[in-house]
Amino acid sequence: MSTNHLLEINQYGQSIWMDNLTRDIIQSGELKDMVENQGISGITSNPAIFEKAIAGNVIYDADIEAGVRAGLQIQEIYESLVFADIRNACDILRPVYEASNRLDGYVSIEVPPTIAHDTEATISEARRYFQEIGRENLMIKIPGTKPGLPAVEQVIAEGMNVNITLLFSVESYVNTAWAYIRGLEKRLAEGKDISKIASVASFFLSRIDSNVDGKIDAKLKKGIDDISVEAKLRAVKGKVAIANAKVAYQEYKKIVRSERWKALAEKGATVQRLLWASTSTKDPHYNDVMYIEELIGRDTVNTVPPATIKACADHCNVSDRLETDVDKAYTLIENLKDADINIDLDTVMDELLDEGIDKFIQPFQSLMNSLEDKIKVLSPV
């Protein structure tokens, strides 16, 4: 039997979660097997994942039809389908949650992407989701927008687990980490237990390289007269996301060494782990598992889509690399400002955040349209 390299990664303090959830893998027993035997210790989901899972899949038709007979609206039918899958996944992962002392075993569900810029609506939906799904090992995904961070702080203070998503810049990660800390401090000041709350900060990878590479390719396409300048541009391709992540991890280390964090840790608080997201390699010329191999390290999570899970299980070269070449990472990020490269990383990150929200709004709306079509077909005449 060949070695499953995913099982080796946990030895370096990193957990592997799967970025996918469908009713098929729940009912077939595939998810249970992946959790029990293949090293998967958590699940993340998003509107794009559920759009692919539900649209065109007859496995949901009976429940859709039941919702129609019950007089439910489209949004209510959507939630009935998704909440059921989330609950069942939480139940499958509950043994991991208990065995890991609440470190792993979480299932993430995102609040509607249409409210990413609405603090109060995000708080309200997070409360409702957490209450209606009713599982301790549920994580509420909240986008790391400026209006999202006060929501994160409040939701943490109320005792919910939170996955802050769509983080691209190091600054956005740092802001997220302090929002988590403020939420814990607020809860502690109210005399409440902070030892059973978990959070991850989902730091996106491949989309950064896709954006930066596109800008570099555009420069190269125009033609570069100076060979040294061309070499500088080519040296950056496919390197920015990993360098950015390594810099973010150094910020994580500074935060957990702070007096504010130490005071919370003494009261039982759990560190907010960095979670590497968007880890499928978009460029076929790159190593298909590079966003896993290069970022294995302590107190982190990597959330991986199914195809990349299979690839890593087969041929990941597992080693603790998160803190290797850190100086080079800082240098590479700084070199983007060089006049010959001239890529404004802040602009890139702003573009990616806006695009990220749109990429979730579009499939969410598409799913609503698909459900509407299914309801028309399944509705009794």
Side-chain angles (χ1 to χ4, degrees), residues 17 43-45 97 102-103 105-111 119 122-130 135-145 147-167 173 175-184 187 194 196-203 270-275 301:
W17 295 1
I43 295 285
T44 54
S45 67
Y97 175 74
R102 299 182 298 276
L103 180 68
Y106 294 95
V107 180
S108 295
I109 180 172
E110 188 159 348
V111 295
T119 301
T122 297
I123 293 169
S124 177
E125 287 296 83
R127 287 172 180 153
R128 187 171 67 84
Y129 277 31
F130 207 76
R135 298 294 187 272
E136 288 182 19
N137 55 329
L138 175 71
M139 271 192 172
I140 304 295
K141 286 180 84 171
I142 297 175
T145 58
L149 294 186
V152 168
E153 185 177 332
Q154 181 59 32
V155 168
I156 289 292
E158 293 183 19
M160 292 172 248
N161 308 308
V162 182
N163 177 339
I164 302 92
T165 189
L166 288 175
L167 302 176
Y173 158 65
N175 291 339
T176 290
W178 287 112
Y180 174 57
I181 287 172
R182 287 193 301 273
L184 291 175
R187 184 172 176 82
I194 60 171
K196 297 179 180 179
I197 302 168
S199 179
V200 293
S202 292
F203 202 73
T270 302
V271 294
Q272 180 193 62
R273 292 184 291 174
L274 269 161
L275 178 151
V301 180

Side-chain angles (χ1 to χ4, degrees), residues 14 31 42 74 104 123 168 188 191 234 242 253 273 296:
Q14 183 175 92
L31 178 58
I74 293 174
D104 288 308
I123 293 169
F168 296 95
L188 190 61
R234 293 192 183 280
I242 289 171
K253 289 175 63 181
R273 292 184 291 174
I296 296 171

